[in-house]
């Protein structure tokens, strides 16, 4: 061992930039490997002087022993002279390491030593011969590991057949930093490389990877080896492989892309809608982006155990079953919308995978998901809901900028959040609306053409959207765009012209505008004061938990300024007017006096508007007298806007409630759902606090005021998707409020369903409501649990689980949580959803919170710190609290797990949510009580 240290030490000093005359000793600055030797790299991120070019992978999973072996021959490009190669590996046993030169001659006759530094999930291989800068080498590694438990790396999943047989499959999930659990690799997004994959399997299984199979060879004894075509350059987190016994349904796009959807054999009949949607969406993206899909095939596969909704592995997208499979018998309109949106999101990624960081890419994919579904399935519009969710998070001080640094795996996992997805989509929509659809689309096409297979930054996108071009530029390869040059284009005419900011903006100004939305957190509040024909504007940061009288107000406002692309309409003009607010205050002079003005037309902007003086009174009267003067989006936006201002203390609750007075005449579902949704939220808050007089009066008000809406709902699956979603929400609320006709009908349907032993089909949009009513009886709850165990429909199981968790019996709820923790009857992937469902039940909120505290370390072990499920568990349980005592209880728990909670942004979000609830009751409870009495 001593000779090895002496051999390594000089190179350690050189590689780490250490000098022997440093104040600190070499050992003090050196991390120690697991075998006690100095590790040659101290940083969390890998060095950039060794670059992977091409991975040659062999993977052999054994689905009987639940383990796998493999080898990786990695072609590397050396940028600096070195003796060390540092890369990632986690929970792998490296059985052999060698280095070969470009002619594949061994650099050493001996197997090379491998140092491990588990804290950074890194290994280092020492080469006795110096690796020369500019030369290519091959690093050859052999390894073995058990198939992982959980949902990351190369992990095992299982399902049961109708006969009760358990079958095993092996699948991958590498985003953001889990490829290192399947093979040694340079596991950072910037290290793009090609991949040639071979997978060994038995004859009864199929193997899938990113690329099509090139050939299959027999190794004897029933063992086959599939050789997949070499991939395009991509990051490690996009590599994927699955070994299973699934069945598929296949089709082909108009441009010849083979599309297949895989599921367990007994759910094969649920794959057909996904195939239809995938083909339609792929064809849309090819036309919109003016770029052919870059791979010869696209596989979509439903994995029985899957933590998130889906994953965009290039050419092999993986999904939770409820995100891909659609059962015409048990799936509702909302289920169909969800499946369509998830497929649209993942397929959007397929054109965007060249971007440098997956979290940055997600907000673009989220917006393209909305654009594509609006174009191909126009009945499924849902952008407003997306932005409402984003504003809820972004109006808290615990929010974050869209573009921010993340270094360690926990921080990276937390980047996949509401800010990354929903806010990013909303600001892109705002920019698209400001630039116009055509200009936005042409800029996107230029962006994709210029940065295909290269790393890109946000500034490159703003450049592409602002810059201009001519037809000559296009033919000269300047990444420009025109109808004549692009036969697959979806826009109507050439769009190569210079934008001037008198109309929309130039390069630098688009940069400056978008930087205010991506580099700082939060959302602006724009206050409008009308004085005759003059509109006075001012902007500030919108915060729900801090007011101007608070000591921290000035510091939290300091430095915040947005370039806000305002739009507005007035009583004298039906046209939309634009105005860019770039300063703290501004003035707009109208051509004439107007009765009313409404900003943020159709909610195409991402900002809150407050109308000072009698502005709100004027709009309240407009809504009562002639609500159709505004579009349904504007009406929904006004309702949302008003109640956001109530929460932040800018507007009185009674004024916002008066605004909703027009809803008895509302015929569009979107504003109707928005208004009723706020009343339902208030009811649940006061109910959980046992404020009986207010909860009873509010319940009576909702049932009386919206009686016509409740009465006209049918217990069917008829109507548009919007009508069906309204029916589902309205009847669920009616039964929850103990509306007698609703309870009678639901009980009747449940009794008939139970008598048939679950063989008759319930209307899918009201099934969960029917189940929930039936679950309040012992025999109904027991029957539902039995049906849950045997159902082959993920959509049906989800509805039943929601119903089971609505029971008021604490013993039953406790049993559910135990089943979720055990993970057999209720899969571990559904545990976070179950905890949330129990927590939102007034009878179960404390039970769920105590369960989380008691099982915290086991939950982190199951789901990984920073994961979506851990964040969902924290937010789902604490969001139910609204008292100072409960706030102190949450703080105490977070303090007790400080080593972990200090790494999580979500704990601050949770605390601020509770503070928001406390403030809401302090400010508004008496007003609500008085308003209801009046």
């Amino acid at each position: 061992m001593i000779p090895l240290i002496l051999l390594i030490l000089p190179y350690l000093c050189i590689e780490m930039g250490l000098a022997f005359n440093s104040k600190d000793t070499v050992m003090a600055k050196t991390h120690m490997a697991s075998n006690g030797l100095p590790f040659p790299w101290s940083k969390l991120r890998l060095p950039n002087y060794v670059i992977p070019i091409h991975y040659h992978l062999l993977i052999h999973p054994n689905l009987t022993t639940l383990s796998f072996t493999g080898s990786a021959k990695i072609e590397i490009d050396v940028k600096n002279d070195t003796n060390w190669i540092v890369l990632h590996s986690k929970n792998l046993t490296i059985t052999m390491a060698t280095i070969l030169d470009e002619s594949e001659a061994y650099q050493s006759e001996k197997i090379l030593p491998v140092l491990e530094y588990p804290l950074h999930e890194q290994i280092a291989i020492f080469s006795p011969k110096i690796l020369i800068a500019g030369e290519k080498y091959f690093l050859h590694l052999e390894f073995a590991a058990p198939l992982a438990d959980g949902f990351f790396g190369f992990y095992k999943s299982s399902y049961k057949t109708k006969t009760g047989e358990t079958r095993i499959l092996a699948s991958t999930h590498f985003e953001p930093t889990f490829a290192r659990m399947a093979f040694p690799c340079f596991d950072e997004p910037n290290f793009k490389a090609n991949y040639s994959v071979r997978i060994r399997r038995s004859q009864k299984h199929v193997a899938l990877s990113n690329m099509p199979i090139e050939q299959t060879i027999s190794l004897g004894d029933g063992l086959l080896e599939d050789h997949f075509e070499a991939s395009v350059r991509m990051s490690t987190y996009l590599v994927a492989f699955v070994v299973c016994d699934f069945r598929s349904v296949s089709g082909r796009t108009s441009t010849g892309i083979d599309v297949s959807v895989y599921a367990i054999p007994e759910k094969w009949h649920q794959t057909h809608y996904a195939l239809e949607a995938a083909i339609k969406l792929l064809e849309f993206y090819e036309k919109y982006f003016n770029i052919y899909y870059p791979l010869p095939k696209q596989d979509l596969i439903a994995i029985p155990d899957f933590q998130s909704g889906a994953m965009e592995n290039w050419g092999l997208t993986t999904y939770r079953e409820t995100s891909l499979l659609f059962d015409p018998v048990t799936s509702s309109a909302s289920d169909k919308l969800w499946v369509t949106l998830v497929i649209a999101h993942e397929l959007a990624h397929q054109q965007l995978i060249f971007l440098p960081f997956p979290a940055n890419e997600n907000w673009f994919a989220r917006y393209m998901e909305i654009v594509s579904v609006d174009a191909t399935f126009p009945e499924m519009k849902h952008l407003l809901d997306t932005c409402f969710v984003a504003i809820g998070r972004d109006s808290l001080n615990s929010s974050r900028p869209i573009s921010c640094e993340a270094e360690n795996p926990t921080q990276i996992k937390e980047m996949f959040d509401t800010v990354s997805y929903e806010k990013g989509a909303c600001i892109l929509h705002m920019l698209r609306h400001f630039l116009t659809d055509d200009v936005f689309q042409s800029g996107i096409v230029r962006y994709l053409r210029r940065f295909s297979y290269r790393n890109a930054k946000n500034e490159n996108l703003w450049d592409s959207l602002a810059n201009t071009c001519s037809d000559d530029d296009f033919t000269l390869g300047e990444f420009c765009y025109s109808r004549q040059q692009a036969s697959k284009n979806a826009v109507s005419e050439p769009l190569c012209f210079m934008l001037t900011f008198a109309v929309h903006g130039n390069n630098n100004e688009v940069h400056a505008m978008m930087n205010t939305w991506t580099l700082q957190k939060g959302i602006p509040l724009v206050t409008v004061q009308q004085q005759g024909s003059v509109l006075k504007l001012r902007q500030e940061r919108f915060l729900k938990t801090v007011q101007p009288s608070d000591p921290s107000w000035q510091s939290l406002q300091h430095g915040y300024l947005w370039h806000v692309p305002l739009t507005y309409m007035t009583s004298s003009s039906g046209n939309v007017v634009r105005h860019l607010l770039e300063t703290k205050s501004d003035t707009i002079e109208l051509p004439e006096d107007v009765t009313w003005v409404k900003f943020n037309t159709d909610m195409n902007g991402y900002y809150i508007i407050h109308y000072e003086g009698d502005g709100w009174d004027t709009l309240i009267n407009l809504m009562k007298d002639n609500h159709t003067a505004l579009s349904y989006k504007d009406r929904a936006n006004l309702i949302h806007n008003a109640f956001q201002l109530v929460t932040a203390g800018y507007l009185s609750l009674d004024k916002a409630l008066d605004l909703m007075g027009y809803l008895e005449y509302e015929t569009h579902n979107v504003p109707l759902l928005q208004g009723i949704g706020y009343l339902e939220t208030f009811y649940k808050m006061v109910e959980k606090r046992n404020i009986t007089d207010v909860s009873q009066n509010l319940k009576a008000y909702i049932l009386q005021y919206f009686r016509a809406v409740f009465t006209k709902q049918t217990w069917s699956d008829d109507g548009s998707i919007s009508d069906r979603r309204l029916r589902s929400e309205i009847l669920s609320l009616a039964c929850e409020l103990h509306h007698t006709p609703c309870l009678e009908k639901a009980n009747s349907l449940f009794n008939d369903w139970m008598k048939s032993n679950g063989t008759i089909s319930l209307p899918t949009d009201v099934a969960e409501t029917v189940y929930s009513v039936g679950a309040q009886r012992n025999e109904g709850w027991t029957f539902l649990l039995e049906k849950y165990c045997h159902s082959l429909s993920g959509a049906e199981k989800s509805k039943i689980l929601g119903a089971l968790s609505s029971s008021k019996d604490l013993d039953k709820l406790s049993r559910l949580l135990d089943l979720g923790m055990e993970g057999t009857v209720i899969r571990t992937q559904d545990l976070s959803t179950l905890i949330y469902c129990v927590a939102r039940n007034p009878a179960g909120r404390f039970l769920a919170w105590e369960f989380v505290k008691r099982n915290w370390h086991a939950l982190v072990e199951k789901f990984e710190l920073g994961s979506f499920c851990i964040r969902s568990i924290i937010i789902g349980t604490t969001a139910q609290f609204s008292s100072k005592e409960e706030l102190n209880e949450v703080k105490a728990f977070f303090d007790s797990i400080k080593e972990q909670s200090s790494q999580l942004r979500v704990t601050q979000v949770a605390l601020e949510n509770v503070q928001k609830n406390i403030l809401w009751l302090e400010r508004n409870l008496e007003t609500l009580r008085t308003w209801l009495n009046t």
Side-chain angles (χ1 to χ4, degrees):
M1 186 174 294
I2 296 300
L4 181 60
I5 293 178
L6 293 175
L7 181 67
I8 291 173
L9 195 54
Y11 297 109
L12 278 174
C13 298
I14 294 169
E15 295 294 317
M16 299 181 67
L18 297 175
F20 282 104
N21 60 359
S22 170
K23 292 181 181 178
D24 300 315
T25 65
V26 171
M27 293 299 291
K29 286 195 172 183
T30 302
H31 290 203
M32 304 306 293
S34 55
N35 62 358
L37 293 176
F39 194 77
W41 187 250
S42 61
K43 297 179 181 179
L44 192 61
R45 303 294 288 268
L46 294 179
N48 59 8
Y49 55 74
V50 176
I51 308 297
I53 304 299
H54 197 131
Y55 290 81
H56 299 267
L57 300 177
L58 170 64
I59 305 293
H60 183 186
N62 187 321
L63 301 187
T64 302
T65 64
L66 304 181
S67 61
F68 69 97
T69 57
S71 66
K73 188 174 78 170
I74 310 172
E75 181 184 346
I76 56 175
D77 185 10
V78 176
K79 301 297 185 183
N80 297 335
D81 290 0
T82 182
N83 289 82
W84 287 102
I85 301 175
V86 180
L87 66 164
H88 289 112
S89 175
K90 181 179 180 182
N91 299 337
L92 299 175
T93 299
I94 309 297
T95 56
M96 189 189 74
T98 58
I99 298 176
L100 298 84
D101 63 21
E102 192 166 7
S103 63
E104 301 199 23
Y106 287 101
Q107 289 288 95
S108 170
E109 296 180 2
K110 297 181 179 180
I111 295 175
L112 302 177
V114 178
L115 300 182
E116 297 184 45
Y117 187 59
L119 185 62
H120 288 176
E121 300 171 357
Q122 294 172 355
I123 58 173
I125 292 89
F126 177 76
S127 172
K129 292 183 180 179
I130 293 178
L131 306 178
I132 306 299
E135 298 293 329
K136 286 185 172 55
Y137 297 89
F138 292 94
L139 171 64
H140 181 80
L141 299 162
E142 295 182 5
F143 51 91
L147 290 169
D149 293 319
F151 308 97
F152 302 109
F154 193 26
Y155 69 95
K156 61 179 178 286
S157 179
S158 66
Y159 70 93
K160 282 192 175 181
T161 65
K162 284 183 178 179
T163 60
E165 178 191 359
T166 298
R167 294 186 179 177
I168 305 295
L169 62 138
S171 182
T172 59
H173 186 97
F174 293 160
E175 187 181 51
T177 57
F178 298 108
R180 63 194 69 176
M181 296 175 65
F183 57 95
C185 56
F186 299 79
D187 199 11
E188 294 176 11
N190 277 331
F191 289 117
K192 292 178 169 62
N194 302 98
Y195 294 82
S196 295
V197 178
R198 293 177 292 151
I199 298 177
R200 291 178 180 172
R201 60 175 174 87
S202 68
Q203 292 177 336
K204 66 180 179 181
H205 292 115
V206 295
L208 302 172
S209 189
N210 305 83
M211 300 299 291
I213 291 178
E214 195 170 46
Q215 65 170 327
T216 299
I217 62 174
S218 175
L219 302 178
D221 294 328
L223 190 63
L224 303 176
E225 185 174 284
D226 292 326
H227 294 213
F228 295 86
E229 295 177 15
S231 76
V232 295
R233 289 182 68 241
M234 59 185 180
S235 302
T236 48
Y237 76 93
L238 295 169
V239 178
F241 33 87
V242 180
V243 177
C244 61
D245 65 349
F246 288 7
R247 290 184 60 194
S248 66
V249 58
S250 299
R252 181 171 289 179
T253 69
S254 58
T255 54
I257 305 303
D258 291 321
V259 181
S260 300
V261 182
Y262 289 80
I264 70 173
E266 288 162 341
K267 297 183 182 181
W268 176 82
H269 67 286
Q270 300 176 36
T271 60
H272 298 281
Y273 174 71
L275 178 66
E276 172 196 340
I279 290 175
K280 199 170 184 178
L281 289 161
L282 273 176
E283 291 175 344
F284 169 81
Y285 285 133
E286 285 193 322
K287 291 178 181 177
Y288 188 93
F289 292 133
N290 193 33
I291 294 176
Y292 286 106
Y293 176 69
L295 302 181
K297 63 94 173 175
Q298 175 64 53
D299 294 333
L300 303 85
I301 183 168
I303 305 297
D305 297 283
F306 201 88
Q307 182 178 158
S308 56
M311 176 59 206
E312 67 269 15
N313 318 298
W314 217 348
L316 175 57
T317 49
T318 48
Y319 300 77
R320 183 183 283 232
E321 289 185 329
T322 51
S323 299
L324 184 67
L325 304 182
F326 179 81
D327 184 352
V329 177
T330 61
S331 298
S332 66
S334 294
D335 297 327
K336 191 172 191 176
L337 173 62
W338 174 248
V339 167
T340 309
L341 292 173
V342 175
I343 293 173
H345 182 89
E346 302 313 319
L347 296 185
H349 274 292
Q350 304 301 295
Q351 299 282 16
L352 306 171
I353 281 168
F354 55 81
L355 295 180
F357 295 105
N360 285 359
E361 182 189 315
N362 271 317
W363 50 288
F364 199 99
R366 181 76 170 94
Y367 184 56
M368 289 313 305
E369 157 202 328
I370 295 168
V371 172
S372 65
V373 172
D374 280 357
T376 55
F377 300 92
E379 71 277 13
M380 296 185 179
K381 293 180 183 293
H382 76 298
L383 177 68
L384 291 185
D385 292 339
T386 298
C387 297
F388 292 157
V389 170
I391 291 169
R393 166 71 187 279
D394 214 21
S395 54
L396 301 178
N397 189 47
S398 51
S399 186
R400 66 169 181 85
I402 287 179
S403 298
C404 61
E405 293 297 320
E407 288 295 326
N408 63 55
T410 298
Q411 291 173 349
I412 294 171
K413 285 193 282 285
E414 278 207 294
M415 293 286 284
F416 297 85
D417 62 359
T418 300
V419 173
S420 178
Y421 287 89
E422 278 72 20
K423 179 181 178 179
C426 293
I427 67 163
L428 282 175
H429 178 75
M430 178 172 65
L431 179 61
R432 177 192 182 198
H433 185 258
F434 193 66
L435 296 176
T436 73
D437 291 353
D438 288 350
V439 173
F440 181 85
Q441 183 182 359
S442 67
I444 296 303
V445 170
R446 295 179 61 238
Y447 177 57
L448 293 179
R449 284 181 174 272
R450 184 171 185 179
F451 292 100
S452 290
Y453 307 106
R454 297 168 56 192
N455 289 333
K457 299 179 180 179
N458 291 342
E459 304 89 81
N460 303 130
L461 174 58
W462 314 143
D463 282 342
S464 298
L465 289 168
N467 282 344
T468 61
C469 59
S470 66
D471 287 347
D472 289 339
D473 290 332
F474 187 94
T475 58
L476 290 171
E478 295 299 319
F479 308 105
C480 295
Y481 182 87
S482 75
R483 173 69 173 173
Q484 290 83 353
Q485 299 292 343
S487 61
K488 292 173 60 184
N489 173 25
V491 300
S492 57
E493 60 185 29
L495 292 170
C496 298
F497 56 86
M498 176 60 73
L499 296 172
T500 66
F501 218 74
V503 182
H504 293 121
N506 63 35
N507 187 324
N508 291 332
E509 287 165 320
V510 170
H511 260 174
M513 182 176 83
M514 295 312 296
N515 282 345
T516 69
W517 297 97
T518 60
L519 301 183
Q520 63 182 353
K521 64 182 178 180
I523 179 172
L525 167 66
V526 178
T527 299
V528 180
Q529 186 178 41
Q530 183 180 350
Q531 297 178 351
S533 62
V534 176
L535 303 176
K536 293 188 174 182
L537 312 175
R538 69 177 187 272
Q539 65 161 293
E540 63 191 57
R541 184 182 173 197
F542 181 65
L543 290 166
K544 288 182 181 175
T545 56
V546 185
Q547 290 198 300
S549 58
D550 295 333
S552 60
W553 173 262
Q554 289 299 330
S555 64
L556 293 176
Q557 292 288 337
H558 180 70
Y560 282 87
L561 178 71
W562 286 265
H563 293 188
V564 188
L566 298 171
T567 55
Y568 64 92
M569 292 176 59
T570 70
S571 57
S572 63
S573 172
N575 297 323
V576 176
V577 185
R578 302 167 187 267
H579 179 81
L580 187 67
L581 176 63
E582 298 178 278
T583 54
K584 283 285 187 181
S585 60
D586 202 355
T587 300
I588 297 175
E589 293 191 13
L590 303 175
E592 57 188 313
D593 287 351
V594 297
T595 306
W596 55 264
V597 61
K598 162 64 173 71
F599 275 80
N600 200 1
T601 53
D602 285 343
M603 200 175 166
N604 285 317
Y606 185 73
Y607 48 88
I608 299 289
I609 292 288
H610 179 39
Y611 302 91
E612 270 193 344
D614 60 358
W616 278 108
D617 292 328
T618 301
L619 289 169
I620 289 169
N621 290 330
L622 174 67
M623 298 284 270
K624 287 180 179 177
D625 297 338
N626 183 23
H627 68 275
T628 56
L630 301 177
S631 70
Y632 80 87
K633 292 181 181 179
D634 277 326
R635 301 196 296 270
N637 171 231
L638 274 180
I639 293 170
H640 173 265
N641 219 91
F643 284 104
Q644 293 297 303
L645 292 169
V646 168
T647 302
Y650 288 90
L651 189 68
S652 65
L653 176 62
D654 53 355
K655 191 152 288 190
L657 291 169
D658 288 344
L659 175 70
M660 289 207 306
Y662 91 97
L663 282 177
E664 60 182 309
Y665 309 110
E666 181 59 77
T667 58
H668 200 284
N669 298 335
V670 172
L672 196 59
L673 274 173
Q674 187 66 16
I676 293 175
Y678 275 110
L679 294 177
E680 181 180 6
T681 299
F682 303 155
Y683 171 77
K684 289 180 176 179
M685 186 181 295
V686 295
E687 182 193 29
K688 287 170 183 170
R689 288 291 301 274
N690 295 316
I691 308 171
T692 309
D693 64 318
V694 177
S695 63
Q696 290 302 313
N697 285 342
L698 184 52
K699 178 172 77 171
Y701 171 78
I702 295 171
L703 291 175
Q704 177 182 333
Y705 193 76
F706 295 100
R707 179 180 299 169
V709 180
F710 292 137
T711 303
K712 77 174 185 180
Q713 303 306 317
T714 61
W715 295 73
S716 69
D717 287 335
D718 298 334
S720 66
I721 285 183
S722 177
D723 290 337
R724 294 174 64 183
R725 293 179 70 195
L726 176 70
R727 176 186 305 129
S728 179
E729 296 290 335
I730 290 295
L731 291 179
S732 174
L733 176 60
C735 284
E736 192 172 341
L737 297 177
H738 305 290
H739 184 47
T740 301
C742 184
L743 293 175
E744 289 175 348
K745 181 64 175 178
N747 269 313
S748 174
L749 288 171
F750 185 83
N751 290 337
D752 291 344
W753 181 71
M754 194 163 66
K755 286 176 185 175
S756 75
N757 196 30
T759 57
I760 65 170
S761 296
L762 292 170
T764 59
D765 298 320
V766 297
E768 185 168 352
T769 296
V770 172
Y771 296 153
S772 296
V773 171
Q776 305 313 309
R777 311 194 310 259
N778 284 334
E779 66 275 17
W781 195 91
T782 302
F783 182 77
L784 282 164
L785 183 59
E786 180 68 18
K787 285 298 167 189
Y788 180 88
C789 294
H790 294 99
S791 175
L792 285 174
S793 165
E796 182 178 53
K797 288 171 79 79
S798 178
K799 295 176 180 63
I800 293 175
L801 190 61
L804 290 169
S805 62
S806 72
S807 172
K808 303 301 183 278
D809 186 325
L810 291 181
D811 289 337
K812 289 183 171 64
L813 297 179
S814 184
R815 182 183 174 194
L816 280 180
L817 291 171
D818 290 340
L819 288 172
M821 199 67 186
E822 189 270 333
T824 302
V825 174
I826 299 174
R827 288 182 180 270
T828 301
Q829 68 172 10
D830 298 316
L831 178 56
S832 63
T833 300
L834 172 62
I835 293 171
Y836 168 71
C837 289
V838 173
R840 72 181 180 183
N841 178 347
R845 63 193 183 110
F846 293 122
L847 179 70
W849 175 239
E850 291 300 322
F851 176 85
V852 170
K853 291 195 297 180
R854 186 172 62 254
N855 294 284
W856 172 255
H857 295 292
L859 291 170
V860 170
E861 188 174 340
K862 286 178 181 290
F863 296 118
E864 297 259 350
L865 197 66
S867 67
F868 169 79
C869 283
I870 289 296
R871 301 198 309 269
S872 174
I873 288 168
I874 291 173
I875 294 295
T877 51
T878 57
Q880 316 304 319
F881 297 148
S882 58
S883 72
K884 291 180 179 178
E885 293 76 16
E886 290 164 338
L887 176 61
N888 290 333
E889 163 69 19
V890 175
K891 285 180 178 177
F893 174 64
F894 288 162
D895 286 341
S896 73
I897 56 167
K898 200 168 190 65
E899 184 178 344
Q900 294 170 318
S901 65
S902 62
Q903 300 180 54
L904 296 172
R905 189 188 304 273
V906 73
T907 55
Q908 296 306 310
V909 177
L911 291 172
E912 206 169 351
N913 271 331
V914 181
Q915 291 169 342
K916 178 192 68 178
N917 293 342
I918 293 170
L919 287 170
W920 194 95
L921 285 171
E922 289 177 351
R923 293 168 180 164
N924 301 299
L925 179 59
E926 287 307 315
T927 303
L928 179 59
R929 179 179 277 126
T930 302
W931 189 87
L932 289 168
N933 288 334
T934 302

